[in-house]
Amino acid sequence: PDASQEIRIFALMRLEEAGEHDAAHRLATLWNMDYVYDEEAMLAAAAARRKKYIQFDEVFSEAAAAAMIPELISDPQTLRESFSEFWKQGPYPRGPFGLDAEWEGDVQGVDLLQLSHPKRAMLLDIPALISSREGVLALKETVGALLDSSDSVVVGFACRQDLSRLRHSQGKHGDD
């Protein structure tokens, strides 16, 4: 097969591995290719992947996994307390600290901000926090101080977009 045919075969294989059989079938039809879903082959491939890669539930018990899931922080006092612990446990002063922002649709702001380091992660409910003056102030004192520090190394994927959206998150007290 030529290069374009190889790419198409690769795309169909990846869709199949992801369980997107309808999408694989539609693309195969558009590309005039045969596509047959073989459930036994897929089960064998899934078993091979499970054998090759470490599974979360093989490493952590259910209780340990539940303890690792961070609480959603939506009030200023909890933010200050959690950030103090986050800072104490972290690789101060330089980091690295992980940053990721989530949003839905075409809104300009951020719905959820995740900060992390190797020992801890924090999930911040940005709309709830910016709904009060105290929340805005708490964000400035904690997250703002971390991001403004020239000593901190913050890493993430598409951080520029995350930070831009975070800057544009505005509640009733967004200009404070």
Side-chain angles (χ1 to χ4, degrees):
D2 65 2
S4 66
Q5 189 73 2
E6 287 180 15
I7 291 170
R8 289 174 177 175
I9 291 169
F10 178 81
L12 293 176
M13 285 175 32
R14 291 298 177 245
L15 285 170
E16 188 173 280
E17 287 174 359
E20 297 292 336
H21 308 292
D22 290 338
H25 187 267
R26 285 193 307 271
L27 279 177
T29 302
L30 285 171
W31 294 335
N32 276 338
M33 297 174 69
D34 290 328
Y35 175 78
V36 178
Y37 170 67
D38 182 352
E39 188 168 355
E40 281 186 36
M42 288 310 306
L43 292 174
R49 280 193 305 279
R50 277 193 305 279
K51 187 176 179 181
K52 182 176 181 178
Y53 299 107
I54 295 173
Q55 302 299 304
F56 187 83
D57 59 355
E58 293 172 355
V59 178
F60 298 105
S61 69
E62 192 173 310
M68 292 172 46
I69 299 171
E71 295 287 323
L72 182 63
I73 298 169
S74 56
D75 69 90
Q77 185 60 32
T78 304
L79 173 58
R80 286 185 177 104
E81 291 167 3
S82 295
F83 197 85
S84 176
E85 287 301 311
F86 177 81
W87 199 250
K88 286 177 194 173
Q89 295 174 4
Y92 178 77
R94 295 208 33 89
F97 297 96
L99 177 132
D100 187 33
E102 302 295 332
W103 58 87
E104 190 171 351
D106 293 332
V107 298
Q108 285 193 342
V110 168
D111 291 324
L112 179 73
L113 180 67
Q114 175 185 307
L115 293 173
S116 62
H117 58 65
K119 295 181 182 176
R120 189 167 179 149
M122 295 175 50
L123 298 176
L124 309 181
D125 182 345
I126 298 300
L129 288 165
I130 63 174
S131 68
S132 70
R133 275 192 206 289
E134 188 65 23
V136 171
L137 183 60
L139 280 167
K140 286 182 179 182
E141 293 170 355
T142 57
V143 178
L146 173 69
L147 297 177
D148 284 344
S149 172
S150 61
D151 291 332
S152 296
V153 176
V154 179
V155 297
F157 181 78
C159 280
R160 182 176 295 181
Q161 184 179 20
D162 289 350
L163 291 173
S164 175
R165 283 185 174 266
L166 183 59
R167 231 177 270 115
H168 288 93
S169 294
Q170 297 205 2
K172 294 185 289 189
H173 305 283
D175 294 332
D176 290 344

